[in-house]
Amino acid sequence: MDNFVVISGCSGGGKSTLLSELHRQGHAIVEEPGRRIVQEEVQAGGHALPWTDMAAFLRRVIARALEDHENASARPGKWVFFDRGLVDAAAALQELTGEPHLAGIGRRGRYCRSVFLAPPWPEIYVQDSERRHDMHAALVEYGRLQMAYPALGYEVFVLPRVSALERVDFVLDTLSDA
């Protein structure tokens, strides 16, 4: 889907802030599936949590990302911005299990060719009840994403470390030039 744009990258790199600003400006967004799964599992007393059963968690994230992808076509507007996507969870599950999850996923849930990655930004990184991993784990995740998206034919644009408004301009300008 050419209008499904992924905002991904390093945990704690300002993705949610950027997406909030895009939403405030009237763009359709899809919230991060991983955070939604964590909230649901904690509320239900479940075990599909990254700190309890990472494989089960990632499988639930993949299923939710597929649902999000399917449901996004009903969203209004020229662009639909995703806070992370299918590739993120598939790449993590592939690294965890050694099974080739990216190859099959890459064909099932395509996004716009232009993908935006938030780089590591230690000055704004914070852990919280849903993000318990440290900066080192976030850096490993970022490296994995830097390789996974191009391997599936996506063109990666690294978001500058600037205000959310400036990031919105960067994203929209890049998309209009593509």
Side-chain angles (χ1 to χ4, degrees):
M1 303 298 274
D2 289 343
N3 66 325
F4 289 5
V5 181
V6 173
I7 309 289
S8 187
C10 191
S11 291
K15 293 179 303 299
S16 296
T17 303
L18 167 60
L19 284 147
S20 293
E21 183 58 33
L22 284 162
H23 183 65
R24 192 189 70 72
Q25 291 187 22
H27 296 281
I29 64 163
V30 177
E31 294 179 4
E32 181 182 348
R35 279 204 180 250
R36 289 182 280 150
I37 299 298
V38 167
Q39 291 164 359
E40 292 167 9
E41 288 294 303
V42 167
Q43 185 174 358
H47 299 286
L49 294 162
W51 51 87
T52 305
D53 187 344
M54 181 63 91
F57 168 73
L58 291 169
R59 286 185 176 91
R60 286 221 39 218
V61 172
I62 287 171
R64 179 65 54 84
L66 284 168
E67 289 172 15
D68 289 345
H69 194 276
E70 186 176 313
N71 295 333
S73 59
R75 301 228 180 193
K78 180 176 181 181
W79 304 108
V80 178
F81 293 96
F82 289 76
D83 188 344
R84 299 198 178 274
L86 194 50
V87 174
D88 296 56
L93 188 58
Q94 180 170 304
E95 184 172 294
L96 181 68
T97 66
E99 300 165 4
H101 293 281
L102 277 174
I105 293 297
R107 290 186 295 276
R108 288 176 67 192
R110 292 297 296 175
Y111 299 92
C112 175
R113 188 177 178 318
S114 300
V115 171
F116 297 88
L117 293 185
W121 198 345
E123 294 80 11
I124 67 169
Y125 182 86
V126 292
Q127 292 176 295
D128 59 31
S129 62
E130 297 162 9
R131 182 189 301 132
R132 295 184 179 182
H133 57 274
D134 61 15
M135 187 65 182
H136 175 73
L139 292 170
V140 169
E141 170 191 45
Y142 182 70
R144 180 174 55 242
L145 296 170
Q146 282 183 301
M147 294 179 358
Y149 278 100
L152 294 172
Y154 292 100
E155 183 175 6
V156 171
F157 295 90
V158 176
L159 293 166
R161 288 186 191 124
V162 293
S163 72
L165 287 172
E166 292 169 298
R167 278 185 161 186
V168 166
D169 290 343
F170 175 81
V171 168
L172 296 177
D173 290 347
T174 301
L175 290 171
S176 68
D177 292 343

